[in-house]
Amino acid sequence: HEYGRYFATGLVRIATCAAELPGAVEFYRCARKHGCLVTCGHSNSTYAEMQSAFRAGMRHVDHFWCAMSSVTSLRARCGTPMQASMEQFVLMEPDMSTEVIADGHHLSDDLLRFAYRFKGPDRLCLVTDSSRAMDQPAGKYRFGSNQNGPYFYSDGRVGWTLNRQGLASSVAGLDHMVRTMYPATKVP
């Protein structure tokens, strides 16, 4: 398949694709065939689309509750009756793993406890989702290319969209995530 050239070098070890995109199932199959961890992220997928992705090899969802579909977000795309989303799929499917951004800004302690209780230590991991603003002073930074990547704003604690209406990234390291997760969950 056309995607194979990206995986053939062995350099790409993780491949993320939104399950609702055209060609997503083929992408998942190809990535899995080449030994990549196949994940779904930044997605507004339905439960059925997640099932198709799962059958094609997807086993992980990026940063749970952040930039992912919900029953409410799917209503705008699918109408009624309301549809189950990524959240329900991840919680229902025992072979799915996910990650949480435990920076104290993305998710409340209650959500961190909830995720740990439902997914456990073998299916839940911490992720920084950090950007180049990690441990830097407040200011405007770029995603991706430093020459033409899109801008976001860091207040020194978390990244925001430029209009300050939505979270854009974490700006804390994994040590901070551990220091947030432990008091919230009391797990070793």
Side-chain angles (χ1 to χ4, degrees), residues 38 46 54 57 75 87 177:
V38 185
T46 64
F54 185 82
R75 186 166 182 210
E87 176 183 5
M177 305 298 160

Side-chain angles (χ1 to χ4, degrees), residues 10-127:
L11 183 63
V12 177
R13 303 304 304 155
I14 301 172
T16 302
C17 179
E20 74 277 13
L21 294 177
V25 168
E26 292 81 13
F27 180 84
Y28 290 133
R29 283 188 187 125
C30 183
R32 175 100 179 196
K33 178 181 164 191
H34 285 88
C36 288
L37 169 64
V38 185
T39 75
C40 184
H42 289 259
S43 174
N44 195 32
S45 59
T46 64
Y47 193 97
E49 289 162 337
M50 292 295 292
Q51 284 178 310
S52 295
F54 185 82
R55 285 191 296 270
M58 183 272 304
R59 293 293 184 270
H60 184 83
V61 166
D62 298 348
H63 37 66
F64 206 49
W65 288 300
C66 299
M68 67 182 291
S69 65
S70 67
V71 172
T72 305
S73 72
L74 287 172
R75 186 166 182 210
R77 181 164 78 92
C78 302
T80 57
M82 289 190 274
Q83 304 288 312
S85 68
M86 291 175 76
E87 176 183 5
Q88 288 78 39
F89 185 83
V90 171
L91 294 174
M92 289 288 292
E93 178 52 58
D95 290 333
M96 284 296 298
S97 62
T98 191
E99 56 201 36
V100 289
I101 305 169
D103 63 358
H105 302 283
H106 279 76
L107 302 175
S108 69
D109 288 355
D110 292 336
L111 287 176
L112 296 175
R113 282 190 295 276
F114 185 92
Y116 185 82
R117 182 178 217 181
F118 276 86
K119 295 315 288 183
D122 295 331
R123 297 284 177 204
L124 183 70
C125 57
L126 297 176
V127 66

